[in-house]
Amino acid sequence: MRKRFLFLIIMVIAGTLIAGSQEPKIILTPRPGPEPRINGAKIFGVRPGSPFLFTIPATGKRPMKYDVLNLPAGLRCDPETGQIKGTINKPGEYLTTVMVTNELGSAKREFKVVCGDKLALTPQMGWNSWYVWENHVTDKIMREAADAMVSSGMIDHGYMYINIDDCWSAKPGSTDSTLLVEPRDKNSMINSNRRFPDMKALTDYIHLKGLKAGIYTSPGPFTCAGHTAIYGNEEQDIMRFVQWGFDFLKYDWCSYDNIGRRDTLPDLQKPYLLVSKILKKQKRDIVLNLCQYGMGKVWKWGKEVGGQSWRTADDLGGSFEGIGTALFRDGFDVYSRDSLHLYAGPGGWNDPDYLLLGYLSNWNGKTVPTPLTPNEQYTQVSLWSIVAAPLIFSGDITRLDEFTLSLLTNDEVIEVDQDPLGKPGHRVSKDGNMEVWERQMEDGSYAVGLFNRGENETNVTANWTDLGFSGKQRVRDLWRQKDIGEFKDNFIVMVPGHGVVMTRMWALAE
Ligand code: GLA
């Protein structure tokens, strides 16, 4: 009996050691230097007459001075904060030069403002409350998220949206008194619940920091979590979102099945056409994110019905333990099977759901570290950047460890995601678990991701014939931000299990 007990103890200790010796969290992203560097989007769309807000993302030692040359009439840049604000009335393309200076020097970069009917000229970057706060979200949590977006420095890398997900409106029949408010006022305009005492004050708070605010609703009478949603009050609720000052709307599908149909394409498109038509009439730019999980191959028509992004599959984190499986299934297979890259581009992006890094809800009352291994986390950010997905982090932004922050703030990886050409990447080769994905960049170079979907470390080969290259290429490791060397015909590299080596390749003159 004692022997068996001893054996059990040894097994438990061995198990703990093995678990503890799982992949180390190796930080590859170099820390940003003290010299000024301008990051994030190089192009930004606005509609004529809408309030403009864009904060120049820049790293480097503070204090920093910001200036923009050739800003179109109606816009002004605050030299202390780098916030560009105002309104443009005249449609057109305005090529400006952004300048950022600190005691160590200055940086300069072109920034194009396009005033027309297109928003989201690059994929959205931001934070969403769902996967960490689910149905506990409050005004305080949103304010703290905005604070953390600034204090963590994420804002300096291009992150701009602070988005409330479900659970801000009334929940009829709830036993929680904070959710038991009149769903609508006497003009049928939607009310927020007691956890959000003053939505306008909240968006003012977010805007003052140079960030933008997002909200959520569903085309049916109720949201997925059973809160009041838009059905039958579309005009009033959109007007309310405008009055409250929101800049982003996630529009789900839940409970619409009870009043609408999903049999034909027009059935699937109807609720989205209805809201986007109302949104277009507003003197405020509200980015519309369709969240209907890919039904009817939404990527083929999401843009046509007025969406600026559309979810391509079910919730990536619907099952906490299943996040890794979902990542390797929906992240890779949905994209390659249906050639999703053909449909997205400036103004409309495929959205494979949020970055599930850092601390997440385990759907069981606890906030715990992501179940993704460090290599899987590198894989998610790399794949998302190559396919030009929105980079929306949904872990606890107030509790960012160095590793998670390093995954979210690698400027060379973000540069791939935000490339102004806006051509999403795609898979060019598959050999068992080894996959090579390629994205064409505006400067003529290519981002090339070498992925290993298997569990064991293996060599992955990127062949020039698959990539459409000839001659020599300069190859750079984007996570390490280091050139690897010059290669001819192919590039072969050891890739850890479930991991990636993300590169960028420039053709060299013969
Ligand atoms: C759906 C969406 C999620 C989230 C929840 C909220 O499941 O796909 O992203 O918004 O609803 O209830």
Side-chain angles (χ1 to χ4, degrees):
M1 196 63 197
R2 265 189 70 180
K3 257 193 188 161
R4 217 194 265 170
F5 183 66
L6 211 70
F7 177 74
L8 207 77
I9 300 266
I10 291 171
M11 289 308 283
V12 169
I13 294 175
T16 318
L17 282 179
I18 291 168
S21 66
Q22 271 171 0
E23 275 176 33
K25 291 181 179 175
I26 299 172
I27 295 179
L28 301 177
T29 306
R31 274 179 186 277
E35 304 79 19
R37 186 185 195 278
I38 302 165
N39 306 309
K42 295 176 184 161
I43 186 165
F44 190 74
V46 64
R47 293 184 308 151
S50 294
F52 185 98
L53 172 62
F54 181 88
T55 302
I56 299 164
T59 44
K61 192 167 176 222
R62 266 50 186 184
M64 200 119 86
K65 281 264 180 254
Y66 301 82
D67 193 12
V68 187
L69 307 178
N70 303 323
L71 264 184
L75 295 190
R76 187 182 164 273
C77 171
D78 182 316
E80 310 296 330
T81 62
Q83 293 177 16
I84 308 174
K85 286 186 186 161
T87 35
I88 313 177
N89 291 319
K90 204 166 149 233
E93 289 203 358
Y94 302 94
L95 191 59
T96 76
T97 306
V98 170
M99 283 173 55
V100 176
T101 310
N102 69 8
E103 67 177 39
L104 290 147
S106 53
K108 212 159 99 167
R109 199 165 92 169
E110 283 188 348
F111 177 63
K112 199 190 261 184
V113 176
V114 184
C115 181
D117 58 0
K118 257 194 197 170
L119 306 176
L121 299 183
T122 63
Q124 304 92 35
M125 291 177 69
W127 178 81
N128 169 286
S129 61
W130 184 245
Y131 280 112
V132 56
W133 299 117
E134 26 140 333
N135 59 1
H136 314 300
V137 66
T138 62
D139 171 280
K140 182 164 174 276
I141 284 173
M142 297 310 296
R143 285 173 193 246
E144 285 172 0
D147 294 346
M149 183 74 91
V150 177
S151 63
S152 67
M154 280 176 70
I155 189 174
D156 304 328
H157 300 271
Y159 290 87
M160 76 174 75
Y161 289 97
I162 297 287
N163 294 350
I164 315 174
D165 207 279
D166 201 346
C167 307
W168 58 266
S169 57
K171 185 168 184 182
S174 169
T175 49
D176 183 333
S177 64
T178 61
L179 307 178
L180 274 182
V181 294
E182 276 304 317
R184 298 179 177 277
D185 69 9
K186 58 180 186 318
N187 300 318
S188 293
M189 289 174 104
I190 195 159
N191 287 326
S192 52
N193 61 41
R194 291 202 180 88
R195 297 174 183 178
F196 291 89
D198 187 343
M199 282 293 200
K200 178 71 174 70
L202 174 59
T203 68
D204 283 349
Y205 185 86
I206 294 172
H207 291 146
L208 260 180
K209 293 182 179 284
L211 299 166
K212 290 169 181 274
I215 197 158
Y216 163 103
T217 191
S218 221
F222 296 104
T223 66
C224 300
H227 289 243
T228 300
I230 211 169
Y231 181 65
N233 302 281
E234 289 79 5
E235 291 271 355
Q236 291 93 323
D237 286 6
I238 299 289
M239 262 162 63
R240 176 117 294 176
F241 298 156
V242 170
Q243 284 171 359
W244 278 345
F246 282 100
D247 311 288
F248 183 106
L249 173 63
K250 173 172 172 180
Y251 204 50
D252 216 308
W253 176 266
C254 277
S255 84
Y256 185 73
D257 276 336
N258 303 338
I259 42 115
R261 304 168 67 92
R262 59 160 89 177
D263 306 336
T264 64
L265 266 192
D267 291 339
L268 287 172
Q269 294 172 344
K270 196 172 159 193
Y272 300 103
L273 277 170
L274 177 63
V275 282
S276 67
K277 208 168 133 201
I278 304 170
L279 284 169
K280 279 193 193 123
K281 290 192 292 194
Q282 311 302 319
K283 281 268 166 257
R284 183 166 193 93
D285 293 348
I286 299 185
V287 163
L288 178 64
N289 171 230
L290 278 45
C291 178
Q292 48 83 291
Y293 340 117
M295 286 187 293
K297 297 195 191 286
V298 62
W299 41 90
K300 293 194 173 173
W301 47 266
K303 219 189 254 184
E304 268 167 57
V305 300
Q308 273 85 28
S309 55
W310 42 85
R311 275 273 298 279
T312 47
D314 247 320
D315 295 12
L316 195 65
S319 136
F320 182 76
E321 291 74 25
I323 295 178
T325 317
L327 168 64
F328 280 84
R329 183 189 61 219
D330 300 338
F332 285 90
D333 294 335
V334 175
Y335 276 74
S336 33
R337 189 187 61 224
D338 290 315
S339 299
L340 262 62
H341 64 287
L342 298 177
Y343 309 101
W349 307 98
N350 292 308
D351 168 13
D353 210 355
Y354 305 133
L355 296 174
L356 297 182
L357 316 171
Y359 283 84
L360 306 169
S361 160
N362 68 353
W363 305 119
N364 226 345
K366 280 214 176 83
T367 303
V368 296
T370 176
L372 297 176
T373 64
N375 278 311
E376 289 169 349
Q377 297 177 53
Y378 277 112
T379 293
Q380 190 185 19
V381 182
S382 307
L383 185 64
W384 264 228
S385 300
I386 290 177
V387 300
L391 295 181
I392 301 193
F393 171 53
S394 193
D396 188 348
I397 190 170
T398 63
R399 208 170 153 197
L400 282 168
D401 56 279
E402 281 294 305
F403 178 71
T404 308
L405 190 62
S406 79
L407 289 167
L408 292 167
T409 56
N410 188 309
D411 296 309
E412 296 200 18
V413 174
I414 292 174
E415 191 169 319
V416 173
D417 183 73
Q418 295 291 304
D419 185 67
L421 185 64
K423 222 173 157 194
H426 61 117
R427 186 168 76 191
V428 293
S429 74
K430 178 168 172 64
D431 177 5
N433 287 322
M434 298 170 283
E435 299 196 6
V436 178
W437 289 59
E438 178 187 44
R439 174 166 181 185
Q440 188 186 352
M441 303 280 288
E442 194 193 35
D443 70 348
S445 66
Y446 288 83
V448 178
L450 296 94
F451 294 93
N452 173 7
R453 291 175 65 171
E455 291 189 358
N456 303 317
E457 178 178 74
T458 186
N459 266 321
V460 180
T461 304
N463 281 311
W464 278 201
T465 42
D466 296 327
L467 293 161
F469 296 170
S470 60
K472 264 198 196 155
Q473 299 279 326
R474 168 163 78 90
V475 178
R476 186 168 174 82
D477 180 325
L478 294 188
W479 281 106
R480 291 180 176 81
Q481 301 186 355
K482 254 195 198 143
D483 279 7
I484 306 175
E486 295 176 7
F487 295 83
K488 221 175 143 246
D489 303 328
N490 61 26
F491 170 67
I492 304 174
V493 70
M494 188 60 86
V495 184
H498 283 188
V500 60
V501 171
M502 186 168 173
T503 68
R504 186 159 166 184
M505 305 194 183
W506 288 262
L508 292 167
E510 287 297 308

